[in-house]
Amino acid sequence: MHLTITTHGDDIYNVEVDTQMTLEDLKALLETECGQPPERQILYFNGNQLNEAKKTLEQYEIKDYDMLLLQTSRAMPSSSALGGASDSSHYEVMRQHVLSDPRLMEELARVQPAIAQAARNNPQEFATLMEQVDRTRRQAEQQRQDLLAASDNPFDVDAQKRIEEAIRQENIAANLEAAMEYNPESFARVTRLYVNVEINGTKLVALVDSGAQSTVTPRPPSAVT
């Protein structure tokens, strides 16, 4: 089922989950989206806080296309300041949790296939990807704070330039995301298989579709080897 996770900021996360997914697994999935560890996530549904980790979404009576509110608690002191486990060990605990739950792994593979692949085969790459998610979240939050500060003074020329640049970067990111969604073959080498066929006495060249979302110009039969 489809869930929309909103925040008090501008961030919105859309996830596909199973009704039998537990709250703790949903938070683990959301960590790959927002970069916030599960212990800092506070989820609300219909104004009520969800706090029973082992309870499933079905038991919470959450249905398809419902909306949840995500808040984050205050950050705890960093692990380096406490002399405790490093960020990499935190990511490894998260990876092991994902690997131990087939349903969670399936959902992760659907929304973040690269992270799911790394979780299965490459712990170091998994930690690197999660660090990137966390870094991107922090940068986005800092940009949002900068824009809020800039909007307080509409007559500040430098502030308006920063807003203009932020909008431009946002448009670039949106265009890139759309390109990766609708034309993924543009970012990688794609081998296409053409075969000679005959339909109702007419000789044609058929393309074996690999699922790539692209318009293909047919080749003439003479070009096929």
Side-chain angles (χ1 to χ4, degrees):
M1 65 179 178
H2 180 94
L3 294 181
T4 299
I5 314 298
T6 65
T7 66
H8 285 311
D10 297 328
D11 297 321
I12 298 178
Y13 308 103
N14 295 294
V15 295
E16 295 288 337
V17 297
D18 189 270
T19 58
Q20 298 306 309
M21 175 175 280
T22 62
L23 178 63
E24 65 177 353
D25 287 344
L26 175 60
K27 288 185 175 182
L29 180 62
L30 286 176
E31 181 175 8
T32 67
E33 293 284 332
C34 67
Q36 293 288 355
E39 60 270 18
R40 289 194 58 198
Q41 297 177 29
I42 305 174
L43 286 170
Y44 294 87
F45 176 58
N46 288 339
N48 298 316
Q49 182 177 342
L50 310 182
N51 49 25
E52 295 184 41
K54 298 298 183 181
K55 205 170 181 179
T56 66
L57 301 179
E58 183 178 52
Q59 290 173 323
Y60 276 117
E61 299 184 356
I62 296 174
K63 300 180 176 59
D64 196 17
Y65 290 98
D66 276 343
M67 183 178 296
L68 278 67
L69 172 65
L70 170 64
Q71 292 183 342
T72 54
S73 61
R74 295 181 59 184
M76 299 298 291
S78 64
S79 57
S80 58
L82 294 175
S86 65
D87 286 342
S88 60
S89 65
H90 165 71
Y91 294 139
E92 178 59 20
V93 170
M94 178 185 175
R95 189 180 76 88
Q96 293 297 333
H97 178 67
V98 170
L99 291 174
S100 67
D101 191 326
R103 186 183 296 110
L104 180 58
M105 174 59 76
E106 181 181 351
E107 298 300 334
L108 181 61
R110 183 181 304 171
V111 298
Q112 293 283 3
I115 294 179
Q117 182 70 15
R120 295 189 186 98
N121 304 317
N122 194 328
Q124 184 175 357
E125 183 181 358
F126 178 83
T128 300
L129 290 173
M130 291 307 304
E131 287 175 358
Q132 291 175 354
V133 169
D134 193 40
R135 190 182 311 115
T136 300
R137 179 194 60 79
R138 290 196 302 268
Q139 291 174 348
E141 178 62 23
Q142 184 60 50
Q143 289 177 354
R144 189 177 74 85
Q145 295 295 337
D146 291 343
L147 286 177
L148 288 175
S151 63
D152 289 340
N153 186 359
F155 300 104
D156 187 331
V157 176
D158 291 336
Q160 294 306 310
K161 287 182 179 179
R162 290 197 298 272
I163 293 177
E164 181 181 354
E165 177 63 18
I167 293 174
R168 189 180 72 84
Q169 292 295 337
E170 185 176 313
N171 290 336
I172 292 174
N175 290 335
L176 177 61
E177 183 177 348
M180 294 182 69
E181 172 68 21
Y182 298 107
N183 298 96
E185 66 276 11
S186 301
F187 298 87
R189 181 180 179 86
V190 177
T191 301
R192 296 188 175 97
L193 174 63
Y194 295 87
V195 294
N196 291 318
V197 297
E198 184 173 333
I199 301 176
N200 295 332
T202 302
K203 292 184 178 180
L204 302 169
V205 178
L207 166 65
V208 178
D209 186 9
S210 64
Q213 303 178 47
S214 180
T215 301
V216 180
T217 303
R219 292 183 179 178
S222 59
V224 179
T225 58

